[in-house]
Amino acid sequence: MSNGALPLIWRKFPERYLLRGNKCTNCGTAFFPARKVCPNCRRKGKLVEEDMPKEGEIITFTEVFTAPAGFEIETPYFIAIIKLTNGAKILSQIVDSAREKVKIGAKVQKVFRKISDIDPEGPIAYGYKFKVVG
Amino acid sequence: MRSVSIIGYGITQFAEHWEKSFRELIAEAGTMAVQNAGLTGKDIQAIYGGCMASGRFIGQEHIGALIADQLGLNPIPATRVEAACASGGVALRNAFLAVASEAYDIVAVGGIEKMTEISVSEAAIALGGAGDQETELFHGASFPALYALMARRHMHEFGTTEEQMAMCAVKNHKNAVGNPTAQFRKEITVEDVMQSGYVASPLKLLDCSPITDGAAALILCSTEKAKKMGFSNAIEIIGSAQASDSLALTGRKSLTEMTATKVAARDAYAQTGLKPSDIDFAEVHDCFTIAEILAIEDLGFFKKGEGGKATEQGKTALNAEKTINPSGGLKAKGHAVGATGIAQVVEACMQLQGKAEGRQVKGAKIGLTHNVGGSGATCAVHIFRRVQQ
């Protein structure tokens, strides 16, 4: 499947390893993943590369019991939407955290993990997950 | 733009059709619609077909040409429309525009999906493509997971409960008992839903619409021509609107409302001069129970945050304050994704013609359909009335 494609995995190294996105210097909005066009300012926008902060808080979450192909072995696992400290939102798995600590408002921090190796002959995809801190 | 009406419709049984192929389902719904209109194939000038993921589900693309071929309608132009689960609604809008613009007088529009030829986990990947492949599905966010994220936030902000969501499923199953083409004609209880096991918390198996095979079709005609041809039972499309939003949930303004629904509804209401209170019934996109709660709020039937409570109070039941999903909705009628947006309109036509025996909305004059693609990145809203004689 396309997620296992080598060019895509290679192209995504900065985004998935470093949380590299960008920011519009015209309106100040941070984007993750990076955008080619600022949706607020369009042609007037000026986008510059920016690494996202590695901390944020959970604004909503779910525990997945029925997984899409390739994730069955990980069930149950947590997926959350996190608001990073610069306001950008990111969807990620939450790992290494006690179940009762995964809740709305919990502070989280980025960790580096293997995400998928769906194709046994293809590349392994690594990237970000988050864990609850404190 | 000139007025457009529906003069014929057809729908297959929604079910797991192990014994029927994709092309058989197309032919069945299509010929039923043409015959229902009392036309012959020669009268159809163009075809629009909604289909989400036939490439993933059955390895077949190029669906437009296949539909024309199977209906024996070559060489008329045939176009496939894809907008995830809103493929049907968006196909209808394109067919509507083709007639309203006077490019054609009579067109056929259909929706189709054959989902049961692959495993459930493969189907989850196919459906996951309706969200953002690179930032959602890549991380293991299944489609139920995306709606679960919205559900959890709605519970947090407004106190919506899992029981209130369950009541959407209970109500829709009850309605489907009266619908002969529905997949699940069986009543369930809140307890059944609550004990059905989490798919992605807080959503449980019975909060989710099923995997379904099915097809539906409509024949559209200019209202003026329909009158000249003597159609006394035509259904006029008085509002047709569509809107888009960010593909990924993280790009949304809010996780507890669908802006695309609000914008499409606003535009459709403006075209008709109607208010939410003028709508007699609505077929809304309840791919998950939380989606019905979001829909009835965003369409303006209930205040934001009060959809769960309204459902609990029975206000959305058949012939209550606002009948929602008399067909049984996606939950119980079934959700053959590409067919859903057209199947909703078939139900609206039957209701407005007084032919929805067993689930008839009394005195229904105005109906609305609401079809969502993905987790809310596309929405099509249509409003219908029976043509006045």
Side-chain angles (χ1 to χ4, degrees):
Chain A
M1 61 175 290
S2 52
N3 267 332
L6 184 57
L8 181 142
I9 286 178
W10 170 79
R11 193 168 65 241
K12 290 274 184 181
F13 283 167
E15 174 187 317
R16 289 177 178 166
Y17 293 7
L18 306 169
L19 290 191
R20 180 157 298 158
N22 61 7
K23 182 179 174 176
C24 176
T25 53
N26 192 45
C27 68
T29 312
F31 298 108
F32 185 84
R35 286 178 173 271
K36 289 299 269 187
V37 175
C38 171
N40 305 323
C41 312
R42 291 194 289 273
R43 223 182 307 177
K44 292 194 187 101
K46 188 174 177 340
L47 291 158
V48 295
E49 212 169 70
E50 177 149 300
D51 288 356
M52 298 293 116
K54 310 298 185 269
E55 294 85 29
E57 72 172 61
I58 293 175
I59 57 173
T60 185
F61 69 95
T62 176
E63 191 174 16
V64 178
F65 290 81
T66 305
F71 291 89
E72 296 95 336
I73 197 172
E74 298 182 44
T75 57
Y77 56 89
F78 285 104
I79 295 272
I81 293 180
I82 294 150
K83 189 172 191 179
L84 298 171
T85 51
N86 67 348
K89 282 178 277 182
I90 183 168
L91 181 144
S92 168
Q93 283 195 27
I94 303 290
V95 292
D96 300 349
S97 306
R99 171 183 245 121
E100 65 276 9
K101 290 202 167 174
V102 179
K103 54 188 174 190
I104 292 175
K107 299 274 186 274
V108 293
Q109 191 174 56
K110 180 198 153 233
V111 292
F112 184 75
R113 291 288 183 277
K114 183 168 97 174
I115 309 286
S116 73
D117 56 350
I118 288 174
D119 179 358
E121 298 191 357
I124 297 171
Y126 295 91
Y128 53 84
K129 294 186 181 180
F130 281 73
K131 67 172 184 183
V132 176
V133 288
Chain B
M1 292 208 299
R2 64 177 170 173
S3 169
V4 179
S5 290
I6 298 164
I7 57 169
Y9 51 79
I11 186 166
T12 68
Q13 184 72 41
F14 272 34
E16 290 194 22
H17 281 299
W18 291 16
E19 79 295 357
K20 282 184 190 167
S21 68
F22 183 92
R23 49 190 77 188
E24 284 176 281
L25 291 168
I26 286 175
E28 191 179 323
T31 46
M32 205 186 293
V34 173
Q35 285 173 7
N36 179 256
L39 301 177
T40 67
K42 284 199 297 269
D43 301 312
I44 311 295
Q45 296 171 294
I47 294 176
Y48 293 83
C51 179
M52 175 187 164
S54 55
R56 287 266 189 201
F57 285 122
I58 60 164
Q60 181 70 61
E61 308 290 11
H62 211 168
I63 300 307
L66 177 68
I67 296 174
D69 175 4
Q70 292 301 307
L71 290 171
L73 294 181
N74 295 136
I76 64 170
T79 307
R80 173 187 176 173
V81 177
E82 189 273 314
C85 321
S87 298
V90 175
L92 170 63
R93 181 164 160 73
N94 279 276
F96 164 83
L97 291 172
V99 177
S101 66
E102 305 185 23
Y104 305 109
D105 288 328
I106 300 181
V107 305
V109 53
I112 170 84
E113 213 76 57
K114 181 87 174 88
M115 303 171 71
T116 63
E117 312 220 322
I118 56 175
S119 72
V120 172
S121 62
E122 287 172 311
I125 292 287
L127 295 168
D132 191 317
Q133 176 78 228
E134 294 180 4
T135 63
E136 293 178 334
L137 191 57
F138 172 75
H139 294 277
S142 60
F143 230 69
L146 298 180
Y147 275 89
L149 292 168
M150 291 187 266
R152 175 92 61 198
R153 192 68 205 176
H154 203 276
M155 292 166 74
H156 177 76
E157 287 183 26
F158 305 113
T160 303
T161 65
E162 292 186 42
E163 286 80 2
Q164 287 171 344
M165 290 190 270
M167 286 167 196
C168 294
V170 171
K171 183 258 303 169
N172 288 342
H173 270 256
K174 189 173 180 187
N175 290 351
V177 172
N179 182 357
T181 57
Q183 186 169 5
F184 299 131
R185 302 183 67 192
K186 179 178 183 288
E187 287 201 44
I188 56 170
T189 64
V190 170
E191 200 183 9
D192 291 334
V193 183
M194 296 302 288
Q195 291 180 351
S196 61
Y198 285 119
V199 171
S201 67
L203 299 180
K204 294 163 286 289
L205 182 66
L206 291 178
D207 284 300
C208 308
S209 56
I211 302 278
T212 308
D213 302 327
L218 307 166
I219 309 297
L220 269 49
C221 180
S222 79
T223 304
E224 194 187 341
K225 188 177 173 86
K227 278 182 184 162
K228 277 188 194 147
M229 291 168 76
F231 286 99
S232 58
N233 232 356
I235 302 300
E236 186 182 3
I237 303 171
I238 53 175
S240 173
Q242 180 186 338
S244 64
D245 202 349
S246 72
L247 196 60
L249 280 183
T250 50
R252 304 281 166 79
K253 198 174 70 186
S254 161
L255 290 172
T256 54
E257 71 170 43
M258 286 191 189
T259 304
T261 295
K262 293 184 80 162
V263 171
R266 178 199 68 197
D267 292 351
Y269 289 135
Q271 288 165 16
T272 57
L274 296 170
K275 305 181 294 296
S277 58
D278 297 321
I279 305 296
D280 294 316
F281 69 92
E283 283 284 309
V284 308
H285 197 93
D286 62 319
C287 48
F288 300 93
T289 50
I290 182 64
E292 177 165 314
I293 290 172
L294 294 172
I296 61 179
E297 295 170 353
D298 295 337
L299 291 167
F301 300 147
F302 299 98
K303 282 189 193 142
K304 182 48 67 185
E306 294 183 4
K309 200 183 294 173
T311 305
E312 183 176 8
Q313 291 167 345
K315 291 180 178 174
T316 58
L318 187 67
N319 288 314
E321 184 179 318
K322 185 74 74 185
T323 302
I324 301 295
N325 285 329
S327 70
L330 282 52
K331 172 68 199 81
K333 180 191 63 194
H335 183 25
V337 287
T340 280
I342 302 296
Q344 291 176 323
V345 181
V346 171
E347 177 69 14
C349 292
M350 294 180 78
Q351 290 288 349
L352 293 169
Q353 292 177 346
K355 291 181 176 172
E357 196 187 336
R359 59 187 191 287
Q360 181 65 47
V361 179
K362 286 179 196 135
K365 291 188 180 64
I366 307 281
L368 179 149
T369 61
H370 162 258
N371 190 198
V372 171
S375 59
T378 295
C379 180
V381 171
H382 287 86
I383 303 178
F384 308 89
R385 74 167 171 214
R386 192 162 165 174
V387 176
Q388 275 134 15
Q389 296 305 307

